[in-house]
Amino acid sequence: MNLELSEEQSAVRRLAKDFVDREIVPHATDWDRAESVDRSVVGKLGELGFLGLTIDEEYGGSGGDHLAYCLVTEELGRADSSVRGIVSVSLGLVAKTIAAWGDEEQKRRWLPGLTSGARLGCFGLTEPGTGSDAGNLSTRAVRDGGDWLLSGTKMFITNGTWADLALVFARTGGAPGHKGVSAFLVPADSPGFGRRTLHGKLGLRGQATAELVLEDVRVPGSAMLGPEGKGFSVAMSALAKGRMSVAAGCVGIAQAALDAAVGYAKEREQFGKPIARHQLVQELLADIDVDVDAARLLTWRVADLVDRGEPFAVASSKAKLFASEAAVRAANNALQVFGGYGYIDEYPVGKLLRDARVMTLYEGTSQIQKLVIGRELTGVSAF
Ligand code: FAD
């Protein structure tokens, strides 16, 4: 793997860096306090092509490879994980999944809106009773003539109250576990589609996380994404790439923690000198720095595998596992460097720690990533 970025990759990284420093970083604290990012940022992301990365131009996408996608995702994560998550879900989990599994009509109907930012997507897999054990979900889809009627509850759905389109996983057959699951593209303005914003999150406060309640939501047969009974494969393929995106966002968090901690350590004086001159403070900074590098390299490796058409799912689990734990460590170490000032939200590191904390939980907890890696090592599934 060549670690030198191409001209195009460097340009897209610069574009993302300039954009987030101008349009997101100055507002991140206010959006966190208000529990909502300014939704107009979504349209701006669309204009720059950041919601269409890796999607074919004929469907409104902006092309680019997965390393470019990771570079942009890292910058968004450095600026505000709430915004990063909006993109990772609408583009990473929904648009890319339609591009991979959709028929021509589905791609033409949904992708231009999602890639421009005119529409947002959400990904409805988790339910109140099934998180890690997603294959046992209980939302049902029942045939009614040529249509399907969907009923059930989805929990913790990112973009849930903002989305125009929900990718919903529901049980269509009597087959037990994941074999009876199918995927559906459900317009969020369908009758019977209810949603409720979840407040009081520890982090990602700017994001519209919701509970979705579907009561006999009618969709045509053409709303099924992928073959009947293959919904779990659709979900897992989405999450395999999604974990790379979470990992890239975590690199951004860790980088932001490093930048903030180094800057503060050079300015803050104790015992008559900048705290940067105390060796134990340098140790904290060095630990963050190594976490940033290691997480970034693991993430770039996944992007490289995807772009070369090689198997990448286990590498993606490794990157997500390491980068999410590293982001929590890095933000926590940065907070230590800030001392008491790190504990109030006039400084950025407390938010970084709160935002980082969910990364070891969603898109598969750290324990689930270890089971994926363990299965690969032993050939034995512990699920
Ligand atoms: P559980 O599955 O109940 O796990 C609880 C604990 O048990 C964890 O520590 C877990 O690791 C451990 N555990 C479970 N099974 C095993 C096992 N076999 N071996 C070892 N340990 C195990 N979901 C969506 O579908 N779409 C979204 O957009 C979305 N966004 C989210 C946004 C936020 C802010 C949050 C908090 C969650 C979001 N989720 C979303 C849900 C998320 O993916 C789940 O919370 C996650 O998969 C864990 O499920 P759970 O919370 O039910 O925990």
Side-chain angles (χ1 to χ4, degrees):
M1 180 187 178
N2 181 4
L3 293 177
E4 195 181 354
L5 299 181
S6 69
E7 282 282 310
E8 199 182 323
Q9 289 159 345
S10 300
V12 85
R13 184 191 225 179
R14 264 196 315 276
L15 186 67
K17 218 176 186 36
D18 291 349
F19 171 75
V20 306
D21 283 336
R22 198 178 59 248
E23 301 277 352
I24 300 180
V25 172
H27 306 292
T29 301
D30 288 343
W31 292 345
D32 184 60
R33 288 174 180 161
E35 279 198 59
S36 179
V37 308
D38 181 341
R39 196 173 170 166
S40 68
V41 79
V42 175
K44 293 176 187 171
L45 290 163
E47 276 168 32
L48 288 168
F50 294 163
L51 284 163
L53 282 164
T54 77
I55 305 278
D56 282 350
E57 288 171 19
E58 65 171 308
Y59 302 112
S62 42
D65 57 19
H66 284 81
L67 186 50
Y69 173 59
C70 285
L71 295 170
V72 171
T73 308
E74 177 187 327
E75 286 304 316
L76 294 172
R78 180 174 67 77
D80 187 350
S81 292
S82 288
V83 178
R84 195 278 304 159
I86 292 170
V87 175
S88 287
V89 170
S90 194
L91 166 60
L93 293 184
V94 181
K96 281 173 184 240
T97 308
I98 295 172
W101 290 84
D103 59 29
E104 197 54 29
E105 192 205 320
Q106 291 168 330
K107 290 187 206 175
R108 296 222 174 273
R109 175 166 181 201
W110 293 113
L111 290 180
L114 292 171
T115 53
S116 70
R119 285 171 161 169
L120 269 185
C122 69
F123 183 84
L125 180 64
T126 304
E127 299 184 355
T130 50
S132 301
D133 190 13
N136 270 322
L137 58 82
S138 59
T139 294
R140 297 205 76 83
V142 179
R143 268 189 206 281
D144 186 41
D147 296 342
W148 291 93
L149 292 175
L150 276 71
S151 297
T153 303
K154 296 292 177 181
M155 193 62 180
F156 297 131
I157 306 305
T158 303
N159 295 346
T161 27
W162 281 10
D164 305 281
L165 170 68
L167 174 50
V168 174
F169 298 88
R171 192 162 292 290
T172 43
H178 62 84
K179 289 189 180 137
V181 174
S182 301
F184 294 90
L185 295 168
V186 184
D189 59 1
S190 305
F193 190 107
R195 39 197 175 169
R196 177 176 70 87
T197 303
L198 300 172
H199 291 287
K201 296 197 298 285
L202 178 67
L204 300 186
R205 289 188 182 161
Q207 245 172 40
T209 311
E211 179 187 44
L212 309 181
V213 180
L214 286 76
E215 290 175 335
D216 282 338
V217 175
R218 181 179 294 277
V219 291
S222 60
M224 186 178 281
L225 184 68
E228 187 173 345
K230 287 286 175 202
F232 198 68
S233 301
V234 173
M236 291 304 112
S237 74
L239 290 174
K241 276 192 193 155
R243 287 167 184 164
M244 173 186 71
S245 175
V246 174
C250 289
V251 177
I253 294 176
Q255 181 68 59
L258 180 65
D259 295 345
V262 169
Y264 187 80
K266 286 183 185 168
E267 279 175 14
R268 175 73 174 170
E269 292 196 2
Q270 289 295 287
F271 298 96
K273 57 186 179 185
I275 59 170
R277 292 183 60 190
H278 297 296
Q279 289 182 348
L280 294 180
V281 172
Q282 288 203 5
E283 181 187 43
L284 289 167
L285 300 177
D287 285 347
I288 302 173
D289 193 30
V290 175
D291 269 338
V292 171
D293 275 357
R296 186 178 285 128
L297 287 170
L298 279 171
T299 304
W300 285 16
R301 183 179 63 154
V302 187
D304 180 60
L305 289 170
V306 176
D307 286 331
R308 287 192 293 110
E310 298 286 333
F312 64 87
V314 179
S316 195
S317 281
K318 288 183 196 175
K320 198 267 182 184
L321 170 64
F322 184 85
S324 60
E325 298 284 349
V328 175
R329 255 192 325 267
N332 199 37
N333 280 335
L335 199 149
Q336 196 67 22
V337 172
F338 272 73
Y341 293 94
Y343 204 67
I344 54 174
D345 76 354
E346 277 167 43
Y347 295 89
V349 287
K351 175 178 183 300
L352 292 174
L353 181 56
R354 288 187 287 104
D355 287 349
R357 194 58 191 82
V358 77
M359 308 298 164
T360 71
L361 300 174
Y362 69 12
E363 299 209 19
T365 63
S366 289
Q367 287 73 29
I368 294 301
Q369 309 308 333
K370 287 178 185 174
L371 294 185
V372 170
I373 298 162
R375 182 177 59 192
E376 172 79 1
L377 289 171
T378 63
V380 180
S381 174
F383 287 106

